[in-house]
Amino acid sequence: MKSWPEKKTWMWLSVTLSALLCVFAGVGNARPQLFVPDPITGYAIGGNDPVSYFVDRRPRKGDRRHELTWGGAEWVFVNEGNRAAFERNPETYAPMFAGCGGFALSEGFATAGSPFIYAVVEGRLVFFHSLVNRFLFVVNGSQLVKDAKANASGVGCIPES
């Protein structure tokens, strides 16, 4: 059986460790990273060409020979034409809500949207956390877009200029 001082030491260590975890759990920004960067390359929206969602109707991996920095992120494009189109009007092609999940945002929460679960809503690219969220958002489009726009700045889902 452990003696009282040894039990007390373990108790204080566990309380101290729990307190430190609580303090450091709140450090940083809970908002998803800007434009869903690829974990290896760091490119925005997982290294996909944002123009390809509109031109090819699907995501396509960009080529690092066609890079552009915009909105605090590095973007890559399939070809120089897509890069030029994005450069002329990036707000048209960049994901709405800086890549945060559209449905969750309409509910007031920030989640990272997936570049592979998307829809073009009101002419803008919107990412979602799940297929169910995508379905719910698309079915109730206009109202949920308004709700998501109202919540976007409060949870940090507004792109940097």
Side-chain angles (χ1 to χ4, degrees), residues 32-57:
Q33 288 185 309
L34 189 63
F35 295 113
V36 195
D38 180 87
I40 296 171
T41 64
Y43 290 126
I45 65 173
N48 292 298
D49 177 342
V51 179
S52 71
Y53 289 89
F54 297 89
V55 174
D56 302 319
R57 304 240 185 262

Side-chain angles (χ1 to χ4, degrees), residues 100-114:
C100 292
F103 180 77
L105 189 55
S106 72
E107 297 286 314
F109 302 100
T111 61
S114 169

Side-chain angles (χ1 to χ4, degrees), residues 6-19:
E6 190 176 341
K7 285 183 186 178
K8 197 174 184 179
T9 302
W10 282 109
M11 181 181 72
W12 282 109
L13 281 174
S14 64
V15 168
T16 303
L17 180 60
S18 297

Side-chain angles (χ1 to χ4, degrees), residues 49-52 54-55 68 77 79-94:
D49 177 342
V51 179
S52 71
F54 297 89
V55 174
L68 176 71
F77 302 89
N79 55 46
E80 192 57 38
N82 285 9
R83 182 186 182 280
F86 184 88
E87 193 169 23
R88 276 191 305 275
N89 197 356
E91 289 85 9
T92 298
Y93 299 106

Side-chain angles (χ1 to χ4, degrees), residues 9-156:
T9 302
W10 282 109
M11 181 181 72
W12 282 109
L13 281 174
S14 64
V15 168
T16 303
L17 180 60
S18 297
L20 286 172
L21 286 174
C22 289
V23 167
F24 288 111
V27 173
N29 192 350
R31 178 209 177 288
Q33 288 185 309
L34 189 63
F35 295 113
V36 195
D38 180 87
I40 296 171
T41 64
Y43 290 126
I45 65 173
N48 292 298
D49 177 342
V51 179
S52 71
Y53 289 89
F54 297 89
V55 174
D56 302 319
R57 304 240 185 262
R58 66 182 176 90
R60 290 181 59 196
K61 285 290 182 193
D63 185 327
R64 68 178 184 215
R65 291 178 295 175
H66 309 290
E67 288 185 22
L68 176 71
T69 300
W70 177 81
E74 293 291 321
W75 302 79
V76 287
F77 302 89
V78 171
N79 55 46
E80 192 57 38
N82 285 9
R83 182 186 182 280
F86 184 88
E87 193 169 23
R88 276 191 305 275
N89 197 356
E91 289 85 9
T92 298
Y93 299 106
M96 191 184 293
F97 314 124
C100 292
F103 180 77
L105 189 55
S106 72
E107 297 286 314
F109 302 100
T111 61
S114 169
F116 300 106
I117 305 173
Y118 65 93
V120 175
V121 180
E122 297 182 1
R124 294 289 311 274
L125 180 62
V126 180
F127 291 155
F128 302 93
H129 181 73
S130 71
L131 290 172
V132 172
N133 285 2
R134 180 190 181 278
F135 173 78
L136 293 171
F137 194 86
V138 171
V139 169
N140 300 303
S142 295
Q143 182 57 49
L144 295 186
V145 168
K146 289 177 191 170
D147 294 345
K149 285 180 180 178
N151 294 328
S153 63
V155 294

